[in-house]
Structure formats: structure tokens, C-alpha cells
Short mmCIF file of all heavy atoms in Angstrom, two decimals:
data_model
loop_
_atom_site.label_atom_id
_atom_site.label_comp_id
_atom_site.label_asym_id
_atom_site.label_seq_id
_atom_site.Cartn_x
_atom_site.Cartn_y
_atom_site.Cartn_z
N MET A 200 -19.73 -8.24 78.28
CA MET A 200 -20.43 -7.03 78.09
C MET A 200 -19.65 -5.94 78.82
O MET A 200 -19.16 -6.15 79.93
CB MET A 200 -21.84 -7.12 78.66
CG MET A 200 -22.62 -5.87 78.56
SD MET A 200 -24.31 -5.95 79.29
CE MET A 200 -25.04 -7.22 78.33
N ASP A 201 -19.55 -4.75 78.29
CA ASP A 201 -18.93 -3.57 78.96
C ASP A 201 -20.01 -2.92 79.84
O ASP A 201 -21.09 -2.56 79.31
CB ASP A 201 -18.41 -2.55 77.94
CG ASP A 201 -17.26 -3.11 77.13
OD1 ASP A 201 -16.55 -3.98 77.62
OD2 ASP A 201 -17.07 -2.64 75.99
N ILE A 202 -19.70 -2.71 81.10
CA ILE A 202 -20.69 -2.16 82.03
C ILE A 202 -20.03 -1.02 82.80
O ILE A 202 -18.92 -1.17 83.31
CB ILE A 202 -21.19 -3.24 82.99
CG1 ILE A 202 -21.88 -4.35 82.22
CG2 ILE A 202 -22.16 -2.64 84.05
CD1 ILE A 202 -22.29 -5.53 83.05
N LEU A 203 -20.75 0.12 82.88
CA LEU A 203 -20.31 1.24 83.71
C LEU A 203 -21.16 1.21 84.99
O LEU A 203 -22.39 1.19 84.91
CB LEU A 203 -20.55 2.55 82.96
CG LEU A 203 -20.34 3.84 83.78
CD1 LEU A 203 -18.88 3.96 84.20
CD2 LEU A 203 -20.76 5.05 82.95
N VAL A 204 -20.50 1.22 86.13
CA VAL A 204 -21.19 1.20 87.43
C VAL A 204 -20.89 2.55 88.08
O VAL A 204 -19.72 2.94 88.28
CB VAL A 204 -20.70 0.05 88.34
CG1 VAL A 204 -21.35 0.12 89.69
CG2 VAL A 204 -20.95 -1.28 87.64
N LEU A 205 -21.94 3.24 88.43
CA LEU A 205 -21.79 4.51 89.18
C LEU A 205 -21.74 4.18 90.65
O LEU A 205 -22.64 3.59 91.19
CB LEU A 205 -22.96 5.45 88.90
CG LEU A 205 -23.21 5.78 87.42
CD1 LEU A 205 -24.42 6.67 87.27
CD2 LEU A 205 -21.99 6.43 86.82
N GLY A 206 -20.63 4.59 91.32
CA GLY A 206 -20.51 4.38 92.75
C GLY A 206 -20.34 2.95 93.11
O GLY A 206 -21.05 2.44 94.00
N GLY A 207 -19.47 2.22 92.50
CA GLY A 207 -19.31 0.79 92.78
C GLY A 207 -18.40 0.46 93.95
O GLY A 207 -18.01 -0.72 94.07
N THR A 208 -18.06 1.41 94.79
CA THR A 208 -17.10 1.16 95.85
C THR A 208 -17.70 1.11 97.25
O THR A 208 -16.99 1.03 98.23
CB THR A 208 -15.97 2.19 95.85
OG1 THR A 208 -16.51 3.51 96.04
CG2 THR A 208 -15.18 2.11 94.56
N ARG A 209 -19.04 1.20 97.33
CA ARG A 209 -19.69 1.18 98.66
C ARG A 209 -20.98 0.42 98.61
O ARG A 209 -21.51 0.12 97.56
CB ARG A 209 -19.97 2.64 99.09
CG ARG A 209 -18.71 3.51 99.10
CD ARG A 209 -18.97 4.78 99.75
NE ARG A 209 -18.33 4.70 101.06
CZ ARG A 209 -18.61 5.50 102.04
NH1 ARG A 209 -19.51 6.42 101.92
NH2 ARG A 209 -18.01 5.35 103.19
N PHE A 210 -21.49 0.09 99.77
CA PHE A 210 -22.77 -0.52 100.01
C PHE A 210 -23.09 -1.66 99.03
O PHE A 210 -22.31 -2.58 98.95
CB PHE A 210 -23.88 0.55 100.03
CG PHE A 210 -23.62 1.66 101.01
CD1 PHE A 210 -23.33 2.93 100.60
CD2 PHE A 210 -23.60 1.40 102.40
CE1 PHE A 210 -23.07 3.93 101.50
CE2 PHE A 210 -23.30 2.38 103.30
CZ PHE A 210 -23.07 3.65 102.85
N PHE A 211 -24.18 -1.52 98.30
CA PHE A 211 -24.51 -2.63 97.39
C PHE A 211 -23.63 -2.69 96.13
O PHE A 211 -23.61 -3.67 95.42
CB PHE A 211 -25.99 -2.55 96.98
CG PHE A 211 -26.33 -1.39 96.10
CD1 PHE A 211 -26.27 -1.47 94.72
CD2 PHE A 211 -26.77 -0.19 96.67
CE1 PHE A 211 -26.56 -0.39 93.91
CE2 PHE A 211 -27.11 0.88 95.86
CZ PHE A 211 -27.00 0.80 94.48
N GLY A 212 -22.86 -1.62 95.88
CA GLY A 212 -22.02 -1.59 94.67
C GLY A 212 -20.93 -2.63 94.72
O GLY A 212 -20.57 -3.25 93.70
N ILE A 213 -20.34 -2.88 95.88
CA ILE A 213 -19.21 -3.82 95.98
C ILE A 213 -19.65 -5.25 95.60
O ILE A 213 -19.03 -5.87 94.75
CB ILE A 213 -18.59 -3.77 97.39
CG1 ILE A 213 -17.93 -2.41 97.60
CG2 ILE A 213 -17.58 -4.91 97.57
CD1 ILE A 213 -17.48 -2.16 99.04
N PRO A 214 -20.72 -5.78 96.24
CA PRO A 214 -21.12 -7.14 95.82
C PRO A 214 -21.62 -7.19 94.36
O PRO A 214 -21.39 -8.21 93.68
CB PRO A 214 -22.24 -7.52 96.80
CG PRO A 214 -22.56 -6.33 97.59
CD PRO A 214 -21.47 -5.34 97.38
N MET A 215 -22.21 -6.13 93.89
CA MET A 215 -22.69 -6.11 92.49
C MET A 215 -21.49 -6.18 91.54
O MET A 215 -21.46 -6.96 90.61
CB MET A 215 -23.52 -4.89 92.19
CG MET A 215 -23.98 -4.79 90.77
SD MET A 215 -25.00 -3.37 90.43
CE MET A 215 -23.88 -2.02 90.70
N VAL A 216 -20.47 -5.35 91.79
CA VAL A 216 -19.29 -5.34 90.93
C VAL A 216 -18.59 -6.71 91.01
O VAL A 216 -18.17 -7.26 89.99
CB VAL A 216 -18.30 -4.20 91.33
CG1 VAL A 216 -17.00 -4.34 90.59
CG2 VAL A 216 -18.96 -2.87 91.00
N ASN A 217 -18.47 -7.29 92.19
CA ASN A 217 -17.85 -8.60 92.30
C ASN A 217 -18.61 -9.66 91.51
O ASN A 217 -18.03 -10.49 90.84
CB ASN A 217 -17.73 -9.03 93.80
CG ASN A 217 -16.61 -8.36 94.47
OD1 ASN A 217 -15.53 -8.14 93.90
ND2 ASN A 217 -16.79 -8.00 95.75
N GLU A 218 -19.91 -9.63 91.57
CA GLU A 218 -20.75 -10.57 90.81
C GLU A 218 -20.53 -10.35 89.30
O GLU A 218 -20.40 -11.32 88.54
CB GLU A 218 -22.23 -10.39 91.16
CG GLU A 218 -23.17 -11.33 90.45
CD GLU A 218 -23.02 -12.78 90.90
OE1 GLU A 218 -22.44 -13.03 91.97
OE2 GLU A 218 -23.51 -13.64 90.13
N LEU A 219 -20.54 -9.12 88.86
CA LEU A 219 -20.32 -8.82 87.42
C LEU A 219 -18.95 -9.32 86.97
O LEU A 219 -18.79 -9.87 85.88
CB LEU A 219 -20.50 -7.33 87.14
CG LEU A 219 -21.90 -6.81 87.31
CD1 LEU A 219 -21.92 -5.30 87.31
CD2 LEU A 219 -22.85 -7.38 86.27
N ILE A 220 -17.92 -9.09 87.80
CA ILE A 220 -16.57 -9.57 87.46
C ILE A 220 -16.58 -11.10 87.34
O ILE A 220 -16.02 -11.66 86.40
CB ILE A 220 -15.57 -9.11 88.56
CG1 ILE A 220 -15.36 -7.61 88.49
CG2 ILE A 220 -14.25 -9.86 88.39
CD1 ILE A 220 -14.58 -7.05 89.66
N SER A 221 -17.25 -11.76 88.30
CA SER A 221 -17.26 -13.27 88.27
C SER A 221 -17.95 -13.80 87.06
O SER A 221 -17.67 -14.90 86.61
CB SER A 221 -17.89 -13.80 89.54
OG SER A 221 -19.29 -13.62 89.52
N LYS A 222 -18.83 -13.02 86.47
CA LYS A 222 -19.54 -13.45 85.24
C LYS A 222 -18.79 -13.06 83.97
O LYS A 222 -19.28 -13.29 82.89
CB LYS A 222 -20.96 -12.87 85.23
CG LYS A 222 -21.80 -13.42 86.35
CD LYS A 222 -23.24 -13.02 86.21
CE LYS A 222 -24.04 -13.56 87.37
NZ LYS A 222 -24.74 -14.77 87.07
N GLY A 223 -17.63 -12.44 84.14
CA GLY A 223 -16.74 -12.16 82.99
C GLY A 223 -16.99 -10.83 82.30
O GLY A 223 -16.45 -10.61 81.21
N HIS A 224 -17.75 -9.94 82.91
CA HIS A 224 -17.99 -8.63 82.25
C HIS A 224 -16.80 -7.73 82.44
O HIS A 224 -16.00 -7.87 83.36
CB HIS A 224 -19.23 -7.99 82.88
CG HIS A 224 -20.50 -8.76 82.67
ND1 HIS A 224 -21.08 -8.91 81.43
CD2 HIS A 224 -21.27 -9.45 83.54
CE1 HIS A 224 -22.16 -9.66 81.53
NE2 HIS A 224 -22.31 -10.01 82.81
N ASP A 225 -16.67 -6.74 81.51
CA ASP A 225 -15.63 -5.72 81.60
C ASP A 225 -16.28 -4.52 82.34
O ASP A 225 -17.21 -3.91 81.81
CB ASP A 225 -15.17 -5.29 80.22
CG ASP A 225 -14.41 -6.39 79.50
OD1 ASP A 225 -13.64 -7.07 80.20
OD2 ASP A 225 -14.56 -6.57 78.31
N ILE A 226 -15.78 -4.21 83.51
CA ILE A 226 -16.39 -3.25 84.38
C ILE A 226 -15.56 -1.96 84.48
O ILE A 226 -14.33 -2.03 84.62
CB ILE A 226 -16.52 -3.81 85.82
CG1 ILE A 226 -17.27 -5.15 85.80
CG2 ILE A 226 -17.25 -2.81 86.73
CD1 ILE A 226 -18.64 -5.11 85.20
N THR A 227 -16.22 -0.85 84.38
CA THR A 227 -15.65 0.43 84.68
C THR A 227 -16.48 1.03 85.82
O THR A 227 -17.71 1.03 85.73
CB THR A 227 -15.70 1.41 83.46
OG1 THR A 227 -14.98 0.84 82.39
CG2 THR A 227 -15.12 2.76 83.81
N ILE A 228 -15.78 1.49 86.86
CA ILE A 228 -16.54 2.13 87.95
C ILE A 228 -16.26 3.64 87.91
O ILE A 228 -15.12 4.07 87.72
CB ILE A 228 -16.18 1.55 89.33
CG1 ILE A 228 -14.69 1.56 89.61
CG2 ILE A 228 -16.72 0.16 89.45
CD1 ILE A 228 -14.34 1.16 91.05
N ALA A 229 -17.32 4.43 88.01
CA ALA A 229 -17.23 5.88 88.11
C ALA A 229 -17.32 6.25 89.57
O ALA A 229 -18.34 5.93 90.21
CB ALA A 229 -18.36 6.53 87.30
N THR A 230 -16.31 6.85 90.10
CA THR A 230 -16.23 7.09 91.55
C THR A 230 -15.50 8.40 91.82
O THR A 230 -14.74 8.90 91.01
CB THR A 230 -15.46 5.91 92.22
OG1 THR A 230 -15.31 6.22 93.62
CG2 THR A 230 -14.13 5.67 91.59
N ARG A 231 -15.81 8.98 92.97
CA ARG A 231 -15.09 10.20 93.39
C ARG A 231 -13.72 9.81 93.91
O ARG A 231 -12.91 10.67 94.20
CB ARG A 231 -15.86 10.89 94.50
CG ARG A 231 -17.13 11.53 93.96
CD ARG A 231 -17.93 12.20 95.05
NE ARG A 231 -18.48 11.16 95.89
CZ ARG A 231 -18.86 11.35 97.15
NH1 ARG A 231 -18.74 12.53 97.71
NH2 ARG A 231 -19.36 10.35 97.86
N GLN A 232 -13.43 8.54 94.02
CA GLN A 232 -12.14 8.00 94.46
C GLN A 232 -11.85 8.38 95.90
O GLN A 232 -10.73 8.55 96.30
CB GLN A 232 -11.01 8.37 93.55
CG GLN A 232 -11.20 7.77 92.14
CD GLN A 232 -10.09 8.11 91.20
OE1 GLN A 232 -9.29 9.02 91.42
NE2 GLN A 232 -10.04 7.35 90.11
N ASN A 233 -12.91 8.55 96.73
CA ASN A 233 -12.74 8.78 98.12
C ASN A 233 -12.64 7.46 98.91
O ASN A 233 -12.07 7.47 100.00
CB ASN A 233 -13.96 9.58 98.68
CG ASN A 233 -13.97 11.00 98.14
OD1 ASN A 233 -12.97 11.51 97.72
ND2 ASN A 233 -15.15 11.57 98.16
N ALA A 234 -13.20 6.40 98.39
CA ALA A 234 -13.18 5.11 99.07
C ALA A 234 -12.23 4.17 98.32
O ALA A 234 -12.16 4.17 97.10
CB ALA A 234 -14.59 4.50 99.09
N ARG A 235 -11.49 3.39 99.11
CA ARG A 235 -10.61 2.42 98.51
C ARG A 235 -11.44 1.17 98.14
O ARG A 235 -12.46 0.92 98.74
CB ARG A 235 -9.53 2.04 99.51
CG ARG A 235 -8.64 3.18 99.87
CD ARG A 235 -7.45 2.75 100.67
NE ARG A 235 -6.65 1.86 99.84
CZ ARG A 235 -5.43 2.17 99.37
NH1 ARG A 235 -4.92 3.33 99.63
NH2 ARG A 235 -4.76 1.30 98.65
N ASP A 236 -10.94 0.45 97.18
CA ASP A 236 -11.61 -0.81 96.78
C ASP A 236 -10.59 -1.92 96.64
O ASP A 236 -9.39 -1.62 96.54
CB ASP A 236 -12.45 -0.62 95.54
CG ASP A 236 -11.58 -0.33 94.31
OD1 ASP A 236 -10.89 -1.25 93.85
OD2 ASP A 236 -11.68 0.82 93.81
N ASP A 237 -11.04 -3.12 96.64
CA ASP A 237 -10.16 -4.29 96.52
C ASP A 237 -10.26 -4.94 95.13
O ASP A 237 -9.89 -6.10 95.00
CB ASP A 237 -10.54 -5.33 97.60
CG ASP A 237 -10.27 -4.84 98.98
OD1 ASP A 237 -9.30 -4.03 99.19
OD2 ASP A 237 -11.00 -5.22 99.92
N PHE A 238 -10.73 -4.23 94.17
CA PHE A 238 -10.94 -4.79 92.82
C PHE A 238 -9.59 -4.95 92.04
O PHE A 238 -9.55 -5.70 91.09
CB PHE A 238 -11.88 -3.96 92.00
CG PHE A 238 -13.24 -3.82 92.64
CD1 PHE A 238 -13.83 -2.58 92.76
CD2 PHE A 238 -13.98 -4.93 93.10
CE1 PHE A 238 -15.06 -2.44 93.35
CE2 PHE A 238 -15.22 -4.80 93.68
CZ PHE A 238 -15.75 -3.52 93.81
N GLY A 239 -8.58 -4.20 92.44
CA GLY A 239 -7.30 -4.28 91.76
C GLY A 239 -7.45 -3.95 90.27
O GLY A 239 -8.13 -3.01 89.91
N ASP A 240 -6.77 -4.72 89.45
CA ASP A 240 -6.81 -4.46 88.02
C ASP A 240 -7.99 -5.15 87.30
O ASP A 240 -8.01 -5.24 86.11
CB ASP A 240 -5.49 -4.82 87.36
CG ASP A 240 -5.15 -6.30 87.48
OD1 ASP A 240 -5.91 -7.04 88.18
OD2 ASP A 240 -4.15 -6.73 86.92
N LYS A 241 -8.93 -5.65 88.09
CA LYS A 241 -10.12 -6.30 87.51
C LYS A 241 -11.11 -5.31 86.94
O LYS A 241 -12.03 -5.72 86.21
CB LYS A 241 -10.80 -7.19 88.56
CG LYS A 241 -9.94 -8.31 89.08
CD LYS A 241 -10.64 -9.05 90.17
CE LYS A 241 -9.71 -10.04 90.81
NZ LYS A 241 -10.30 -10.61 92.04
N VAL A 242 -10.99 -4.03 87.31
CA VAL A 242 -11.91 -2.99 86.82
C VAL A 242 -11.11 -1.79 86.31
O VAL A 242 -9.95 -1.62 86.70
CB VAL A 242 -12.89 -2.51 87.93
CG1 VAL A 242 -13.73 -3.63 88.46
CG2 VAL A 242 -12.16 -1.78 89.04
N LYS A 243 -11.75 -1.01 85.48
CA LYS A 243 -11.20 0.29 85.10
C LYS A 243 -11.90 1.33 85.98
O LYS A 243 -13.00 1.09 86.46
CB LYS A 243 -11.48 0.55 83.63
CG LYS A 243 -10.86 -0.40 82.68
CD LYS A 243 -11.29 -0.06 81.25
CE LYS A 243 -11.05 -1.21 80.32
NZ LYS A 243 -12.11 -2.21 80.33
N ARG A 244 -11.26 2.44 86.18
CA ARG A 244 -11.85 3.50 87.01
C ARG A 244 -11.82 4.85 86.30
O ARG A 244 -10.84 5.13 85.61
CB ARG A 244 -11.05 3.64 88.31
CG ARG A 244 -11.15 2.44 89.20
CD ARG A 244 -10.07 2.50 90.28
NE ARG A 244 -10.11 1.27 91.09
CZ ARG A 244 -9.55 0.15 90.75
NH1 ARG A 244 -8.91 0.05 89.60
NH2 ARG A 244 -9.63 -0.92 91.52
N ILE A 245 -12.87 5.60 86.47
CA ILE A 245 -12.87 7.00 86.03
C ILE A 245 -13.31 7.82 87.23
O ILE A 245 -14.16 7.43 88.03
CB ILE A 245 -13.77 7.26 84.82
CG1 ILE A 245 -15.23 6.80 85.08
CG2 ILE A 245 -13.25 6.57 83.58
CD1 ILE A 245 -16.17 7.17 83.97
N LYS A 246 -12.67 8.96 87.36
CA LYS A 246 -12.96 9.86 88.49
C LYS A 246 -14.06 10.85 88.07
O LYS A 246 -13.95 11.45 87.02
CB LYS A 246 -11.71 10.60 88.95
CG LYS A 246 -11.95 11.46 90.16
CD LYS A 246 -10.68 12.11 90.68
CE LYS A 246 -11.01 12.89 91.94
NZ LYS A 246 -9.82 13.44 92.55
N VAL A 247 -15.05 10.96 88.92
CA VAL A 247 -16.12 11.91 88.68
C VAL A 247 -16.30 12.80 89.90
O VAL A 247 -15.96 12.41 91.00
CB VAL A 247 -17.47 11.19 88.34
CG1 VAL A 247 -17.37 10.41 87.04
CG2 VAL A 247 -17.88 10.29 89.45
N GLU A 248 -16.84 13.99 89.68
CA GLU A 248 -17.15 14.88 90.77
C GLU A 248 -18.65 15.02 90.91
O GLU A 248 -19.38 15.06 89.91
CB GLU A 248 -16.57 16.28 90.52
CG GLU A 248 -15.07 16.35 90.66
CD GLU A 248 -14.66 16.13 92.11
OE1 GLU A 248 -15.36 16.52 93.06
OE2 GLU A 248 -13.57 15.49 92.28
N ARG A 249 -19.13 15.04 92.12
CA ARG A 249 -20.54 15.21 92.39
C ARG A 249 -20.81 16.66 92.74
O ARG A 249 -20.15 17.21 93.58
CB ARG A 249 -20.98 14.29 93.54
CG ARG A 249 -22.45 14.37 93.83
CD ARG A 249 -22.85 13.38 94.86
NE ARG A 249 -22.31 13.80 96.17
CZ ARG A 249 -22.42 13.05 97.27
NH1 ARG A 249 -23.01 11.89 97.24
NH2 ARG A 249 -21.92 13.49 98.42
N THR A 250 -21.79 17.24 92.07
CA THR A 250 -22.18 18.62 92.38
C THR A 250 -23.67 18.67 92.62
O THR A 250 -24.42 17.80 92.15
CB THR A 250 -21.82 19.57 91.23
OG1 THR A 250 -22.48 19.15 90.04
CG2 THR A 250 -20.32 19.64 90.97
N ASP A 251 -24.11 19.63 93.35
CA ASP A 251 -25.52 19.77 93.59
C ASP A 251 -26.16 20.71 92.54
O ASP A 251 -25.46 21.45 91.86
CB ASP A 251 -25.85 20.24 95.00
CG ASP A 251 -25.26 21.60 95.31
OD1 ASP A 251 -25.19 22.47 94.40
OD2 ASP A 251 -24.85 21.80 96.48
N ALA A 252 -27.45 20.68 92.43
CA ALA A 252 -28.16 21.44 91.41
C ALA A 252 -27.96 22.94 91.58
O ALA A 252 -27.86 23.69 90.60
CB ALA A 252 -29.67 21.09 91.45
N GLU A 253 -27.88 23.44 92.82
CA GLU A 253 -27.70 24.87 93.03
C GLU A 253 -26.35 25.35 92.49
O GLU A 253 -26.31 26.42 91.88
CB GLU A 253 -27.84 25.19 94.52
CG GLU A 253 -29.22 25.07 95.08
CD GLU A 253 -30.22 25.95 94.30
OE1 GLU A 253 -29.92 27.15 94.09
OE2 GLU A 253 -31.28 25.42 93.93
N SER A 254 -25.29 24.60 92.69
CA SER A 254 -24.00 25.04 92.18
C SER A 254 -23.99 24.98 90.62
O SER A 254 -23.30 25.80 90.00
CB SER A 254 -22.88 24.20 92.73
OG SER A 254 -22.96 22.88 92.30
N MET A 255 -24.77 24.12 90.03
CA MET A 255 -24.86 24.05 88.57
C MET A 255 -25.56 25.28 88.02
O MET A 255 -25.22 25.78 87.00
CB MET A 255 -25.58 22.80 88.11
CG MET A 255 -24.86 21.48 88.51
SD MET A 255 -23.30 21.31 87.63
CE MET A 255 -23.89 20.93 86.03
N LYS A 256 -26.56 25.80 88.74
CA LYS A 256 -27.29 26.96 88.31
C LYS A 256 -26.44 28.22 88.31
O LYS A 256 -26.58 29.09 87.46
CB LYS A 256 -28.53 27.20 89.18
CG LYS A 256 -29.60 26.19 89.04
CD LYS A 256 -30.75 26.49 89.98
CE LYS A 256 -31.79 25.39 89.93
NZ LYS A 256 -32.84 25.62 90.94
N ARG A 257 -25.48 28.25 89.27
CA ARG A 257 -24.64 29.44 89.43
C ARG A 257 -23.52 29.47 88.38
O ARG A 257 -22.91 30.49 88.13
CB ARG A 257 -24.01 29.49 90.79
CG ARG A 257 -25.00 29.85 91.85
CD ARG A 257 -24.34 29.87 93.23
NE ARG A 257 -24.96 28.78 93.97
CZ ARG A 257 -24.32 27.99 94.80
NH1 ARG A 257 -23.08 28.18 95.05
NH2 ARG A 257 -24.94 27.04 95.43
N ALA A 258 -23.23 28.38 87.75
CA ALA A 258 -22.09 28.25 86.84
C ALA A 258 -22.35 28.95 85.54
O ALA A 258 -23.36 29.33 85.12
CB ALA A 258 -21.72 26.83 86.58
#
């Protein structure tokens, strides 16, 4: 199964992504890429930016 994980590089995301990898899923993590991870080429990565609601209203 293809699975997108938001924020898979910290806290509960790391063990969750490792478990999904071990079960054979194709994982993509959406991250700000501020934290390093040890997933190597086992996952795909997309970079996302986090904004707050106030900055969205001003745009």
C-alpha cells in the first residue's frame, strides 16, 4: 500500500514509519526537512512548509 506520513521524522512518527516499512508498504514522508532520519532510500520524501492561519489570511 502507498502511504503518506505527515511528520514521520520525530516522536511517534519514527517507530510508525519503521513498522510500515517492515510490513512492506511504500512510504512517503512529508517533512520540513529540519530533522535528519535514518530511513535512507526506504522512503520517498517531499518537503512541505508549515504556516499559521494568520499568515494565510494575509496572503
Side-chain angles (χ1 to χ4, degrees):
M200 178 183 299
D201 294 333
I202 299 174
L203 172 64
V204 177
L205 304 178
T208 60
R209 303 190 105 197
F210 305 113
F211 69 88
I213 294 170
M215 178 179 64
V216 170
N217 282 324
E218 180 69 17
L219 292 168
I220 291 169
S221 74
K222 294 187 182 264
H224 297 291
D225 292 321
I226 308 300
T227 300
I228 55 174
T230 176
R231 291 178 289 158
Q232 297 181 342
N233 292 337
R235 297 190 64 110
D236 65 70
D237 295 328
F238 302 129
D240 62 355
K241 297 175 188 170
V242 301
K243 298 177 198 84
R244 293 167 185 80
I245 56 174
K246 184 174 182 175
V247 295
E248 287 295 324
R249 181 175 70 184
T250 58
D251 60 35
E253 288 304 312
S254 66
M255 297 294 287
K256 289 179 186 176
R257 287 181 247 142

